[in-house]
Amino acid sequence: MKIVLINPPHTAIGSRVPDDHLPPLGLLALGGPLLDAGHEVRLVDAEFGPMSLAVLVDDALGGDPDCVLIGHSGSTSAHPTALQIAGMVKARSPRTLVIYGGVFPTYHWRDILAATDVFDVVVRGEGEATIVSLVEALDRRRPLADVAGIAYRDDLGHPFATRPASTIADLDAYRVGWELIDLSRYSYWGGKRAVVMQFSRGCPHLCNYCGQRGFWTRWRHRDPVKFAREIAWLHREHGVELINLADENPTSSKKAWRAFLDAMIAENVPVLIVGS
């Protein structure tokens, strides 16, 4: 299938850093598995410019995609923009399926699907395994009810959620689709070539004010040596100078974090690691 990933232009002032822009890790994390499953995938990053919504939709619908995936890691503030983009896509191309994912739609899928019909499917929680299963079901016209971790409107038009998807135990089982972007365009901390990465997901603490606990469900980490090797590859092959960690709590395991630092020392690359 032909799939377009859309990173909406950020609408919250806290999301924008003058003259710098980081790649949308969440969408790239879906792009890698989709490419490996044999689909045609491209990314429209509307943060550059930022793009007007009209130009964004023109770009996204170029090539007549089967599916458009809209995501944003800080998705509560971006929801009004995502809603507008979805409506414009549907007005121009009603047959194009619009899939929505992120923290906000994960928690509020029922409200979203009840309020509008411009989103066809919501992906709830971690998306790597779910999006591959969903696109396969759509491609082969299989029942969506068999796909775990999604929500959609049933035959009566009512919001319906399938069973939750299993938590991804092995974070190295799915790769980030770095080839979907030109890494030379992304920077942070005053023009340093930069990317966003995750060593771990989740947090072991049970703070009742934190939404990450319900989204990631439990703390897990990548293989420390493989993670360091990927950072070194990004530096040597693409000139990446800075890694911005998207982790909630990367040092939860002292043993795993020490193993990662030892692996970085062994790689011997001059890369800054920032925890924000």
Side-chain angles (χ1 to χ4, degrees):
M1 298 186 80
K2 291 194 288 187
I3 301 166
V4 173
L5 312 175
I6 293 178
N7 185 34
H10 296 183
T11 48
I13 191 169
S15 297
R16 187 177 297 283
V17 178
D19 303 321
D20 278 325
H21 177 33
L22 288 165
L25 176 62
L27 290 171
L28 298 180
L30 303 184
L34 287 170
L35 286 167
D36 292 346
H39 300 289
E40 182 181 326
V41 184
R42 68 184 180 94
L43 169 72
V44 178
D45 192 345
E47 263 293 89
F48 287 111
M51 284 185 182
S52 69
L53 297 191
V55 171
L56 163 59
V57 172
D58 281 344
D59 192 340
L61 292 179
D64 194 24
D66 300 296
C67 301
V68 164
L69 276 59
I70 303 175
H72 188 306
S73 58
S75 54
T76 301
S77 62
H79 176 67
T81 306
L83 180 64
Q84 192 173 354
I85 292 168
M88 293 171 70
V89 168
K90 281 296 188 182
R92 284 269 304 274
S93 180
R95 63 164 290 279
T96 301
L97 295 169
V98 179
I99 302 169
Y100 191 25
V103 178
F104 180 80
T106 290
Y107 287 134
H108 297 284
W109 59 269
R110 190 186 304 274
D111 299 328
I112 291 168
L113 293 174
T116 179
D117 61 357
V118 297
F119 298 110
D120 294 294
V121 183
V122 170
V123 172
R124 299 159 51 230
E126 292 177 301
E128 289 93 333
T130 300
I131 195 63
V132 173
S133 297
L134 171 59
V135 171
E136 181 181 1
L138 292 170
D139 192 26
R140 301 185 180 185
R141 290 175 168 74
R142 293 176 177 170
L144 294 186
D146 295 337
V147 180
I150 64 170
Y152 56 94
R153 285 175 296 278
D154 63 19
D155 292 339
L156 298 176
H158 300 143
F160 170 80
T162 63
R163 68 190 185 281
S166 299
T167 301
I168 297 174
D170 180 9
L171 297 183
D172 291 294
Y174 301 95
R175 70 177 186 88
V176 176
W178 297 118
E179 66 266 47
L180 292 169
I181 60 173
D182 177 357
L183 282 99
S184 69
R185 301 185 71 192
Y186 293 89
S187 63
Y188 197 50
W189 270 27
K192 295 184 184 299
R193 189 170 297 188
V195 297
V196 184
M197 299 181 75
Q198 275 187 321
F199 175 63
S200 67
R201 290 180 179 177
C203 179
H205 304 302
L206 302 179
C207 305
N208 60 12
Y209 56 80
C210 180
Q212 297 296 338
R213 176 164 58 110
F215 186 82
W216 295 118
T217 69
R218 65 185 177 89
W219 191 83
R220 296 142 288 150
H221 66 84
R222 288 191 55 184
D223 179 281
V225 174
K226 290 180 180 178
F227 189 61
R229 190 180 301 148
E230 184 172 355
I231 291 173
W233 173 81
L234 285 166
H235 173 75
R236 291 173 181 138
E237 297 297 323
H238 298 283
V240 171
E241 303 169 274
L242 186 145
I243 307 299
N244 187 53
L245 287 181
D247 300 48
E248 286 71 45
N249 201 332
T251 60
S252 293
S253 166
K254 183 177 180 180
K255 179 181 179 181
W257 187 250
R258 177 61 182 265
F260 163 60
L261 296 180
D262 286 341
M264 283 300 298
I265 291 169
E267 291 289 351
N268 192 30
V269 289
V271 175
L272 288 171
I273 299 175
V274 180
S276 61

